[in-house]
Amino acid sequence: MRLFVGLGNPGAKYARNRHNIGFMAVDRIAEDHGFGPWRAKFQGQIAEGRLGSEKVLLLKPETFMNRSGQSVGEAMRFYKLDSTDITVLHDELDLAPGKVKVKAGGGHAGHNGLRSIHDHIGAAYDRVRLGIGHPGRKEAVAGYVLHDFARADEDWLDNVLRGVSDGAPHLAAGDGARFMNAVAQRTAPPRSSTGTARPPSATPEKTAPAPEPAPRPDDRSALQKLVDRFK
């Protein structure tokens, strides 16, 4: 069994925040892959289903971001999972908007949700890092992540969520490369290979007719002209 955890803050006030892209991702997976209804458990909302041959539990902690580990730890203990059975989908300031990367283990890089999960289950879990970009100044980060996505972000955000959902069965199977390929098909689709269009055939330029040679001056004598006339 796999546990996919989307990070965010509960409530309509935060639903479209950049910090909630993890919630958005697991919502899209649940919708696209026919998971059961969301229900309250483990201090969060859970939905059960299958991705390929794998049974998967989706979890949205409702403990608020900085206490996400409480919910994750409770679910992990209940199902007797190892931390390596867990994949956390979260917002990532250090990736440009629309970029996605997978990572196994590592630090929390100051992310409050990951910091809490580290405290409760350790660092040996997988992550899907969903790029939201950085506001440029450290003091602006809190306001940035707790602000809704702009209207200009809607296209790339939808492509990222669709790509994550498309690749979710590969993610559940532990195939990060195929997962990333599925994401790329949405976020950076290959160009259509229609070939190089032939240039229009050039119309041959019309050649102007050569001018007729100018008549040579008649320099015959009067007698010669008379002789030639009767030849």
Side-chain angles (χ1 to χ4, degrees), residues 140-165:
V141 165
Y144 178 76
V145 299
L146 294 175
H147 195 278
D148 286 1
F149 282 105
R151 182 168 296 181
D153 296 325
E154 289 178 0
D155 285 346
W156 71 254
L157 177 59
D158 187 60
N159 287 333
V160 164
L161 298 178
R162 288 177 181 274
V164 168
S165 179

Side-chain angles (χ1 to χ4, degrees), residues 159 163 166 179-190:
N159 287 333
D166 291 346
F179 168 75
M180 287 301 301
N181 185 62
V183 173
Q185 291 295 316
R186 291 286 188 178
T187 59

Side-chain angles (χ1 to χ4, degrees), residues 52-153:
S53 61
E54 300 290 331
K55 183 178 180 180
V56 176
L57 179 73
L58 304 178
L59 171 64
K60 295 188 293 183
E62 293 192 310
T63 50
F64 285 92
M65 184 68 78
N66 61 0
R67 292 185 293 167
S68 299
Q70 295 177 10
S71 174
V72 177
E74 190 174 328
M76 186 182 82
R77 290 187 296 274
F78 181 87
Y79 289 105
K80 297 180 173 58
L81 300 175
D82 189 87
S83 61
T84 56
D85 298 320
I86 298 172
T87 299
V88 177
L89 297 89
H90 66 91
D91 57 303
E92 178 57 70
L93 288 164
D94 293 333
L95 290 178
K99 296 294 183 182
V100 177
K101 288 190 177 182
V102 292
K103 182 180 180 181
H108 54 67
H111 190 290
N112 287 335
L114 299 185
R115 189 197 307 273
S116 176
I117 293 171
H118 272 52
D119 291 343
H120 285 267
I121 71 169
Y125 57 90
D126 295 339
R127 306 96 188 274
V128 175
R129 304 164 66 209
L130 305 170
I132 61 169
H134 196 286
R137 304 188 325 276
K138 185 176 180 180
E139 60 271 21
V141 165
Y144 178 76
V145 299
L146 294 175
H147 195 278
D148 286 1
F149 282 105
R151 182 168 296 181
D153 296 325

